[in-house]
Structure formats: structure tokens, C-alpha cells
Amino acid sequence: MLQKATGDFDPLNKLGQGGSGSVYKAILPDGKTVAVKRLLYNTRQWAEEFFNEVNLISGIQHNNVVKLLGCSIEGPESLLVFDYASNRNLDQVLFDENKRQFLSWKERFEIILGIAEGLAYLHEGSKTKIIHRDIKNSNILVDDQLIPKMADFGLARRFAPHKTHVSTGVAGTLGYLAPEYLLQGCLTEKMFILLEWWP
């Protein structure tokens, strides 16, 4: 059904390309428009990222976090189905010459506020603290009302309440990483905001 809904993964329906796969616009039989993330797993790490993303966000219900509608696992290919964001991602809204929108300061402020509220929910409001580890413009989707929605949780990690830090291999996009995390590979609760917002 998803293959048909994307026009057999037609390049014209391609919304974006990431390190582990591509995202396509799809129209379901009931007329609903969704985004289908197509992941081709040929390594164990990619499989772990897929299951990590499904496990972390399947129960999250927040206006500023992309909603996972379903998933499919067949053979080497896995599909994630998300709500569709008509303005694609924040990077395109701000910088792509073909899709760029000129945002007022009020609109920019509302987008920043929405991202901050989403991060606060992940860090403090959800049942378990979640560190995204790869917040950047291209991982912030923007819907038709300019509401930002955090996406791509493949590198995210849970932060257990009784822990003071998480030791992990450095992950994310260089240039967006907190220096302490890059040098020590140790995440602390006080480093959450710095890690998520390092310019």
C-alpha cells in the first residue's frame, strides 16, 4: 500500500535524503497525505537506529514532535510513516532559494518557541528523558501553519532518571555538537540544552 501511495517511490515524490534513507510524500487510499521514510538497512547500526526511533517516539504525543503513524519491516527495507509537514524542513524554509519563505520576526519567534517547547518536553515532560543528539535545521519539520516538529530520532537516547550522565559514542552532525560532548563522549543533564542548541 505504501509503495503504491508513493508512486512506487517516484523521485518526483521525494521530500528529502538522509544518511540512512529517503523520505517520500505519499497519499493513502483514504486521501490522507503522509511522509514515508524509506530505510535500506545493510548494517546492524542502521537496524538499531530504526528500532531506536520507533521505540522512542511511538508513545510521544506533543505538538512539536513529529507523530509516528506506523511502520513496516519487510526484508532489508523498513518504512516509517509520519504526519506530513507541507513546508518540509526549517533549513529549506530559511535557506533554499526555491522554497524559502520570508518569515516575520513574530513567525521566527514562534518557531524558536515551538522547538524549545519540544525540547523541554523531551527533557522533562515525557515519561523518560530523551536526548535527540542531532537537532539541526534539516531535522526540524515545518507544517502549513509554521509549527515546528522535531524529527529523525535515530540517534536519540533515553536518559534514566537515576543516572547523572550517559556515556555514549559521539553522534550527530559536526558543527552542532557541544565541545564537552565531542571531547569526552559524556552527556550530563546540565549539558542537554547546550548539546541540543550548539550553533
Side-chain angles (χ1 to χ4, degrees):
M1 180 182 78
L2 293 175
Q3 184 173 354
K4 185 177 179 181
T6 60
D8 199 21
F9 300 104
D10 188 328
L12 294 175
N13 288 327
K14 192 172 185 178
L15 299 172
Q17 175 76 40
S20 56
S22 304
V23 180
Y24 295 85
K25 180 179 179 180
I27 300 176
L28 299 178
D30 65 0
K32 181 177 175 66
T33 302
V34 296
V36 176
K37 188 175 183 179
R38 184 185 194 195
L39 305 160
L40 300 173
Y41 288 110
N42 55 17
T43 68
R44 182 177 176 158
Q45 178 188 351
W46 285 6
E48 287 174 359
E49 287 182 15
F50 171 82
F51 288 109
N52 185 57
E53 186 162 8
V54 170
N55 290 331
L56 283 177
I57 68 168
S58 59
I60 293 178
Q61 298 290 324
H62 192 276
N63 199 35
N64 300 112
V65 178
V66 70
K67 186 175 180 182
L68 178 67
L69 302 174
C71 65
S72 170
I73 307 167
E74 289 187 18
E77 182 177 84
S78 300
L79 303 171
L80 295 169
V81 183
F82 296 99
D83 273 335
Y84 175 70
S86 59
N87 283 310
R88 301 193 181 183
N89 66 53
L90 188 57
D91 194 59
Q92 292 170 319
V93 169
L94 295 174
F95 304 114
D96 188 311
E97 291 184 12
N98 297 323
K99 302 174 185 73
R100 181 172 51 197
Q101 296 183 25
F102 292 97
L103 303 175
S104 69
W105 284 110
K106 183 179 187 306
E107 290 170 330
R108 290 171 187 260
F109 177 76
E110 292 297 327
I111 289 172
I112 292 167
L113 186 61
I115 296 168
E117 287 175 357
L119 284 173
Y121 175 79
L122 293 177
H123 295 173
E124 300 293 334
S126 60
K127 293 178 184 176
T128 59
K129 295 180 183 183
I130 298 171
I131 309 167
H132 189 284
R133 297 203 307 167
D134 200 20
I135 290 291
K136 56 186 178 182
N137 290 341
S138 59
N139 286 340
I140 305 291
L141 304 180
V142 183
D143 71 10
D144 57 348
Q145 297 177 351
L146 295 179
I147 295 173
K149 297 179 182 292
M150 285 178 282
D152 199 349
F153 282 76
L155 298 177
R157 292 290 177 266
R158 281 191 169 93
F159 195 99
H162 61 281
K163 299 268 187 178
T164 59
H165 69 279
V166 175
S167 293
T168 176
V170 176
T173 304
L174 292 177
Y176 290 84
L177 298 176
E180 298 89 336
Y181 174 51
L182 188 60
L183 294 172
Q184 301 167 1
C186 183
L187 298 174
T188 64
E189 188 170 352
K190 291 182 180 181
M191 195 184 297
F192 281 176
I193 299 302
L194 179 60
L195 172 68
E196 304 285 30
W197 284 100
W198 190 255

